[in-house]
Amino acid sequence: MNRRQLLTGAAAMTAFATTTSARAAETSRSFLEIATWRLHNSDEDQIKRVAAYLEHGLFPALTRAGAKPIAALSTLIGPDGPSLVSIVQHASLAAMQAALEKVASDKEHVAASEELAAGPGMPFVTIESSLLHSLAILPEPAIPTDTATRPSRIFEMRTYESQSMAARVKKAAMFNDGEIGVFQRLGMRPAFIGESVIGPRQPNITYMLSFDSLAEREKLWSAFGSDPEWKKISSPADLKDAKIVANISNIMLKPLPFSPLK
């Protein structure tokens, strides 16, 4: 991502960012860069090569540069597989630009990048990136502290595609003012939520939930759908008046061994 893209993203964020909640100061809302590494199965061993690059090259370099790697996950259920997803947190757009400049000149990262490219054929097919501005209800990702004492979880990343900018603001208000609270109360464990600043299928809000298993996911989503508080938040009249009914897409992911989020 170059300086021009960052400036464009800053303008988009200013125009579209929700102002529905005062529970967290604007400066505390972080930015999340989500990169999807599109791969294919072949003797190029792309999954292993990219995972090694993330673990030993990119994530350490980003950490040295002041950014915060959040997750490295592989697709469990989703379209266009196989793929890996990396998530990195930045305190601000300026901090992100500074981190990218430091990474570009980081000698250890340069060596890791050269090693990634040195294998047979292509190390990956393509990279698709998006940038989110976290919502006030969850200004920073929720990283668990008990990963050493329990099995890894599975994650569901959902993208809520709004029909207009105004509809996205109203949907953000639903998340900030009750929907995320219902997730948390039911044990669906929101990891992050943010509105898109740069990326495809805009305007949208993307969030991630974690579950112990696919069976637990089905059980909890069923409970969510019949929850009295959720029914009150999402009454048909309110949805119709607010014009926030939108397309929802999702993928299921599992963490790589070195992922902080697991």
Side-chain angles (χ1 to χ4, degrees):
M1 184 177 295
N2 58 35
R3 187 178 298 273
R4 179 176 297 176
Q5 289 173 308
L6 284 171
L7 291 174
T8 302
M13 182 272 292
T14 301
F16 304 144
T18 179
T19 57
T20 58
S21 175
R23 278 173 289 188
E26 186 73 16
T27 53
S28 70
R29 294 173 57 197
S30 58
F31 290 84
L32 295 175
E33 181 185 9
I34 301 178
T36 301
W37 303 71
R38 301 292 182 191
L39 313 169
H40 57 219
N41 291 312
S42 69
D43 56 5
E44 294 162 310
D45 208 4
Q46 292 185 347
I47 295 176
K48 182 178 180 180
R49 289 166 66 185
V50 172
Y53 165 69
L54 293 175
E55 180 179 10
H56 302 295
L58 183 59
F59 277 16
L62 284 167
T63 301
R64 289 192 292 271
K68 186 177 181 181
I70 296 300
L73 312 110
S74 62
T75 303
L76 184 63
I77 302 173
D80 303 322
S83 62
L84 297 180
V85 174
S86 59
I87 304 173
V88 179
Q89 178 187 356
H90 302 275
S92 66
L93 292 174
M96 180 178 179
Q97 179 67 9
L100 294 177
E101 291 175 354
K102 290 178 181 178
V103 167
S105 60
D106 186 301
K107 293 183 179 180
E108 293 181 38
H109 174 258
V110 171
S113 182
E114 291 174 350
E115 182 178 353
L116 173 66
M122 301 186 300
F124 51 83
V125 177
T126 190
I127 306 170
E128 300 169 8
S129 295
S130 61
L131 185 66
L132 305 181
H133 193 204
S134 64
L135 296 190
I137 189 66
L138 201 62
E140 293 196 2
I143 305 299
T145 58
D146 61 344
T147 56
T149 59
R150 60 158 173 79
S152 293
R153 297 163 178 160
I154 60 171
F155 294 85
E156 180 175 11
M157 187 161 65
R158 295 169 65 90
T159 298
Y160 194 106
E161 301 169 30
S162 298
Q163 296 175 333
S164 68
M165 308 307 179
R168 185 177 71 174
V169 171
K170 292 174 181 177
K171 183 58 187 177
M174 286 180 65
F175 281 121
N176 278 324
D177 298 332
E179 189 168 346
I180 291 296
V182 175
F183 288 152
Q184 292 170 327
R185 175 168 51 79
L186 293 175
M188 299 172 79
R189 297 188 295 258
F192 68 79
I193 182 167
E195 50 196 352
S196 178
V197 176
I198 298 172
R201 300 182 296 177
Q202 293 204 39
N204 71 65
I205 293 174
T206 295
Y207 62 95
M208 181 175 282
L209 306 171
S210 73
F211 305 93
D212 290 336
S213 65
L214 289 173
E216 184 194 55
R217 173 193 178 273
E218 297 301 318
K219 178 181 178 181
L220 291 177
W221 271 117
S222 178
F224 176 82
S226 59
D227 185 82
E229 184 179 346
W230 166 242
K231 287 184 176 181
K232 182 179 179 181
I233 294 170
S234 62
S235 64
D238 290 342
L239 287 176
K240 183 178 180 180
D241 292 342
K243 298 180 180 180
I244 60 175
V245 177
N247 181 52
I248 300 174
S249 58
N250 71 319
I251 59 173
M252 301 301 300
L253 302 141
K254 58 182 180 180
L256 297 179
F258 61 91
S259 175
L261 187 63
K262 62 175 61 176

